[in-house]
Amino acid sequence: MTSLNPVKLRPGDTIGILGGGQLGRMLALAAARLGLRCNVYSPDPDSPAFDVVQRATCAEYADVAALELFASEVDVITYEFENVPSGTAMILAARRPVLPDPAVLQTTQDRLAEKDFVRRLGIATADYADVSSLETLQQAVARLGLPAVLKTRRFGYDGKGQSIIRDADSLEALWSELGTNSAILEKFIPFEREISVVAARGADGRVECFDVTENEHRDHILKTSRAPARISDELAAQARTIATTIADAFDYVGVLAVEMFVVPGPSGPSLMVNEIAPRVHNSGHWTLDGASVSQFEQHIRAIAGWPLAPVHRHGEVAMTNLIGNEIDDYGAWLAKPGVTVHLYGKGIAREGRKMGHITEVKTRSRSQKR
Ligand SMILES: Nc1ncnc2c1ncn2[C@@H]1O[C@H](COP(=O)(O)OP(=O)(O)O)[C@@H](O)[C@H]1O
Ligand SMILES: [Mg+2]
């Protein structure tokens, strides 16, 4: 329990990071700037985060001996992806503080549990139904209507494990294609835009939200994030309140992201929560160049038991992902004035793979909110 035994790192201490992707890499870089070391644990020998740390553990998540050794080498453990197996988290948590508390994963690994949790907080989501068979899918479609979105409860990302149902004749085929009997059906929301709030919560319960970000997807993969989102101040305040309510309800320590839909309505737009990511998030990458503190540094500060930084945005910020072979244009981006380039050092530019990102900041002091 964090509240009974609070973590307080000192410069030179070591953070264990589960997961070796670009998020782990950027967390480790932020930790290094604060004089903290990292040990990255990942089963993939080509993990981009391995390149920036002195200690790396390349082992399976079920390798008990490797987990025990890893725990003995670090002072606190965090994760950069939400699908940490519960057995892995249990073994580690018995030995070292794990932040955010792995109990959060039980909710956020399962779309149904996540939506139930959000609804219990009085926060709106798309209407949804638990689906575990063709029959329950048919009943859910009858209740929610079409179009609707069928999603696996677990392991979905970048639109994988989901499909839009437009016509009731396709149910049988879609159900067998999904390949699982653990699914959720959501009403299709004709949203006006998608936004997210990246929030940091410190061990003392203080929450610092970054400005609301507007996200555009291409082929279900995040392409561009802009801050601030083009929504009213009132709606932005509501979005931050939603993220804060969720972080408080989890007694969260670290950074989380809440994805939301802005839904048009007769009395103006309203918000629905789509998804919670219990980690730093792609829609917060702009904070590396566009804010006084990045989401990665806020996360490190939170799990180190250090004070969070008050957030100041430098201007209007746009972050664009370099996906697949778009990475080949890095030379042109490097030459473009006002563009900051981030390359993740990944070997093969597979289709749909996030290879890097660029950020552009338009400084206009009068557009700043804080
Ligand atoms: N109920 C819905 N109505 C309309 N669009 C949706 C709905 N659910 C998801 N989407 C679209 O699909 C994208 C991916 O869905 P999401 O639930 O965030 O899964 P993941 O990001 O894990 O792949 C969303 O960002 C949104 O654009
Ligand atoms: Mg999502």
Side-chain angles (χ1 to χ4, degrees):
M1 280 293 290
T2 55
S3 48
L4 296 178
N5 188 14
V7 177
K8 195 91 183 166
L9 298 192
R10 298 167 58 83
D13 284 347
T14 302
I15 294 169
I17 301 175
L18 293 172
Q22 66 269 19
L23 301 179
R25 178 179 169 109
M26 291 185 271
L27 281 170
L29 290 170
R33 212 158 62 98
L34 296 175
L36 294 162
R37 301 190 169 104
C38 289
N39 183 339
V40 169
Y41 193 112
S42 165
D44 179 0
D46 286 329
S47 293
F50 284 170
D51 292 348
V52 303
V53 293
Q54 205 184 13
R55 289 285 298 153
T57 307
C58 190
E60 295 300 324
Y61 290 117
D63 184 337
V64 178
L67 290 170
E68 285 175 347
L69 181 63
F70 171 74
S72 73
E73 289 177 346
V74 302
D75 299 292
V76 64
I77 295 166
T78 191
Y79 40 90
E80 58 115 54
F81 72 116
E82 55 270 53
N83 288 318
V84 174
S86 55
T88 306
M90 263 172 59
I91 291 166
L92 294 174
R95 287 162 178 81
R96 285 290 181 273
V98 178
L99 294 172
D101 188 321
V104 169
L105 296 172
Q106 278 158 27
T107 305
T108 55
Q109 283 177 352
D110 179 348
R111 292 187 196 276
L112 183 65
E114 185 174 89
K115 286 218 159 47
D116 287 346
F117 170 82
V118 170
R119 284 279 182 108
R120 276 199 302 273
L121 296 174
I123 299 168
T125 67
D127 284 339
Y128 59 96
D130 182 6
V131 169
S132 55
S133 62
L134 179 58
E135 199 187 2
T136 49
L137 175 60
Q138 284 158 342
Q139 287 161 359
V141 166
R143 179 161 79 79
L144 298 178
L146 292 178
V149 188
L150 181 64
K151 302 180 181 179
T152 58
R153 278 171 60 175
R154 293 174 178 275
F155 302 117
Y157 70 98
D158 286 349
K160 292 187 175 60
Q162 61 175 273
S163 52
I164 297 184
I165 306 179
R166 297 189 188 280
D167 124 43
D169 293 344
S170 63
L171 291 188
E172 208 167 330
L174 285 176
W175 180 247
S176 65
E177 259 169 49
L178 199 67
T180 170
N181 54 13
S182 180
I184 178 173
L185 188 76
E186 293 177 18
K187 202 172 167 67
F188 179 87
I189 304 300
F191 53 76
E192 179 179 297
R193 60 189 87 236
E194 290 190 83
I195 61 168
S196 58
V197 175
V198 174
R201 189 169 182 278
D204 59 358
R206 189 173 135 205
V207 175
E208 283 285 342
C209 294
F210 289 96
D211 282 283
V212 181
T213 304
E214 184 163 339
N215 303 312
E216 272 171 48
H217 296 82
R218 197 185 62 193
D219 302 330
H220 305 286
I221 303 171
L222 182 68
K223 184 55 189 163
T224 311
S225 290
R226 289 171 213 279
R230 291 164 299 172
I231 55 174
S232 68
D233 288 351
E234 193 191 345
L235 206 62
Q238 277 177 32
R240 284 193 291 264
T241 301
I242 286 173
T244 303
T245 303
I246 289 171
D248 285 343
F250 280 133
D251 196 14
Y252 200 87
V253 178
V255 163
L256 59 69
V258 183
E259 299 176 6
M260 304 176 208
F261 299 141
V262 177
V263 188
S267 48
S270 62
L271 298 172
M272 279 182 184
V273 165
N274 172 42
E275 218 185 3
I276 303 169
R279 54 171 170 80
V280 289
H281 192 257
N282 196 169
S283 69
H285 289 3
W286 64 266
T287 61
L288 280 167
D289 307 300
S292 53
V293 63
S294 75
Q295 61 166 345
F296 303 100
E297 179 172 332
Q298 286 293 59
H299 185 77
I300 297 295
R301 284 174 177 240
I303 64 165
W306 293 2
L308 299 179
V311 178
H312 172 85
R313 181 170 47 78
H314 295 321
E316 285 180 16
V317 195
M319 186 286 314
T320 305
N321 276 335
L322 302 178
I323 298 166
N325 58 16
E326 288 171 351
I327 193 71
D328 298 343
D329 297 333
Y330 72 91
W333 289 117
L334 287 170
K336 207 165 173 228
V339 169
T340 314
V341 180
H342 298 257
L343 307 177
Y344 305 149
K346 293 183 181 176
I348 305 156
R350 277 195 308 274
E351 197 187 323
R353 195 173 191 205
K354 292 173 181 168
M355 302 298 291
H357 72 268
I358 54 151
T359 317
E360 290 171 274
V361 184
K362 272 193 229 150
T363 334
R364 247 195 274 140
S365 51
R366 274 195 290 156
S367 73
Q368 291 174 8
K369 285 198 183 135
R370 303 173 60 159

